[in-house]
Amino acid sequence: MTTEIKTDLFEKEALVYIRHMDVGEISGLLPPDALADIDDPDDLFMVFSADGQRLAIVEGRDAAFAACHANDLRPLSVH
């Protein structure tokens, strides 16, 4: 008996990487006032595509994973 797999778990397009970023790293990528409304600038995570393209900056690890799942992406944590 075989079952058809609908999605390849390691499909390049579906994988994204989540990495904690220091404020100094992120602030160099954004306009000067972009982080003004962030409650905890030490709790920022960046989401990258499988080929390294920056997709999003999210406040909080759980929120970053939730955003990925909401968009049918498979997040991996990078340290």
Side-chain angles (χ1 to χ4, degrees):
M1 179 175 158
T2 60
T3 56
E4 184 176 68
I5 298 175
K6 294 180 183 176
T7 304
D8 180 0
L9 295 178
F10 297 103
E11 184 178 32
K12 181 180 175 183
E13 292 80 23
L15 291 176
V16 293
Y17 302 93
I18 296 175
R19 179 176 169 238
H20 180 263
M21 302 288 283
D22 293 330
V23 171
E25 292 176 283
I26 290 179
S27 63
L29 304 172
L30 302 171
D33 62 343
L35 298 176
D37 294 330
I38 301 297
D39 292 331
D40 186 3
D42 292 323
D43 193 30
L44 296 175
F45 290 79
M46 188 166 286
V47 180
F48 296 92
S49 66
D51 64 0
Q53 181 180 3
R54 293 183 302 259
L55 300 176
I57 299 171
V58 182
E59 187 175 1
R61 183 180 186 276
D62 292 340
F65 275 84
C68 292
H69 289 297
N71 289 286
D72 297 324
L73 301 170
R74 290 181 171 70
L76 301 172
S77 182
V78 178
H79 300 281

